[in-house]
Amino acid sequence: MKILIVEDETKTADYLRQGLTEAGFAVDLARNGIDGLHFALSESYDLAILDVMLPGQDGWSVLAGIRRSGKDMPVMFLTARDAVDDRVKGLELGADDYLVKPFAFAELLARVRTLLRRGSKSSTPEFLRLADLELDLLRRRVFRAGKRIDLTAKEFALLELLLRRQGEVLPRSLIASQVWDMNFDSDTNVIEVAMRRLRAKVDDDFQPKLIQTVRGMGYVLENQSCID
Ligand code: CA
């Protein structure tokens, strides 16, 4: 799941980005309102977290621009001000939640999950499944045959991508750009190493094997025992 953060204060922005990344979310960060609105309109996000006071264009007008474009992703406001007026204004403009700074990260994360659960009814699923493999997107947990599997944030993102596009051969370059946010360098074996670790956790002790290597092409997640 992908979250957009629009926050100009470096400390808060980095703290949020790191925390949400460690919680297993893909995160884009914009440091002013103009970039924030541009990101919101050109990419697809499951949630946006907007600061109110931003250079260029304030949080209100970013939200107005998002809603004008017809995007209905949940939006949470962050602000240092606890004025009732602000809260009313945000809610009138179509904000879904409001958090006053300073806040505890645990509270932000709990609210993020609530918003994603609410938003997921219409657009995104809460679970991704193949055979007896299940990924819980909101609680960031993975189970195979009912057994909990511990994954790192990267392994989780990798498995999420494979599950979302199951049955599709994913080239290494696509995996690199979606999971590592980097341009593919053919010298690196980062993907092979991560894939080996993921397989050891998800496939080694189970049948059928779900992660398949397609030589010279990439990887596919598929239950081949179901294919005639
Ligand atoms: Ca600010």
Side-chain angles (χ1 to χ4, degrees):
M1 286 190 154
K2 203 163 181 185
I3 297 178
L4 172 66
I5 301 168
V6 189
E7 167 64 90
D8 60 311
E9 200 188 75
T10 309
K11 221 172 115 187
T12 311
D14 293 344
Y15 167 71
L16 280 175
R17 175 161 59 183
Q18 192 188 343
L20 290 170
T21 304
E22 280 168 7
F25 296 100
V27 176
D28 278 347
L29 171 61
R31 294 182 190 271
N32 64 64
I34 294 162
D35 289 349
L37 183 58
H38 176 71
F39 278 26
L41 300 186
S42 50
E43 291 267 333
S44 176
Y45 296 98
D46 298 291
L47 173 78
I49 299 174
L50 304 179
D51 185 28
V52 174
M53 303 299 286
L54 291 165
Q57 197 172 345
D58 68 18
W60 308 130
S61 87
V62 174
L63 173 61
I66 291 173
R67 294 299 183 234
R68 230 181 356 252
S69 76
K71 296 218 178 210
D72 62 353
M73 65 182 143
V75 170
M76 181 195 293
F77 268 113
L78 293 182
T79 181
R81 297 180 301 181
D82 192 17
V84 176
D85 284 359
D86 273 5
R87 204 169 316 174
V88 171
K89 188 173 179 185
L91 295 173
E92 276 174 353
L93 282 167
D96 300 274
D97 202 359
Y98 194 101
L99 196 58
V100 177
K101 293 190 223 173
F103 51 84
F105 186 75
E107 186 184 359
L108 177 108
L109 192 57
R111 295 217 199 173
V112 161
R113 288 189 169 137
T114 302
L115 287 175
L116 289 171
R117 202 170 299 136
R118 214 184 291 162
S120 72
K121 286 189 189 88
S122 51
S123 47
T124 14
E126 277 184 47
F127 295 93
L128 297 171
R129 293 187 180 91
L130 177 64
D132 57 357
L133 174 67
E134 181 179 273
L135 185 146
D136 180 338
L137 285 164
L138 296 172
R139 287 166 206 85
R140 319 304 293 175
R141 287 179 192 160
V142 174
F143 297 89
R144 179 119 196 224
K147 204 177 143 199
R148 172 95 182 260
I149 296 172
D150 283 320
L151 299 182
T152 64
K154 282 290 177 229
E155 289 161 358
F156 189 95
L158 186 56
L159 185 61
E160 180 181 343
L161 175 67
L162 287 165
L163 269 164
R164 280 188 190 278
R165 302 184 62 167
Q166 53 187 271
E168 212 180 308
V169 179
L170 303 179
R172 286 174 182 78
S173 55
L174 182 137
I175 294 171
S177 68
Q178 297 277 313
V179 177
W180 276 270
D181 249 355
M182 62 179 185
N183 293 317
F184 185 59
D185 170 0
S186 54
D187 292 335
T188 176
N189 66 346
V190 169
I191 294 167
E192 282 76 2
V193 171
M195 202 61 85
R196 204 178 307 139
R197 292 211 182 108
L198 183 62
R199 263 189 170 134
K201 292 181 180 180
V202 166
D203 266 349
D204 274 9
D205 296 338
F206 303 94
Q207 288 294 343
K209 308 298 178 203
L210 299 176
I211 300 173
Q212 327 290 344
T213 306
V214 184
R215 284 196 64 169
M217 292 178 73
Y219 299 92
V220 60
L221 190 78
E222 197 167 63
N223 184 359
Q224 294 193 329
S225 65
C226 288
I227 298 169
D228 298 321

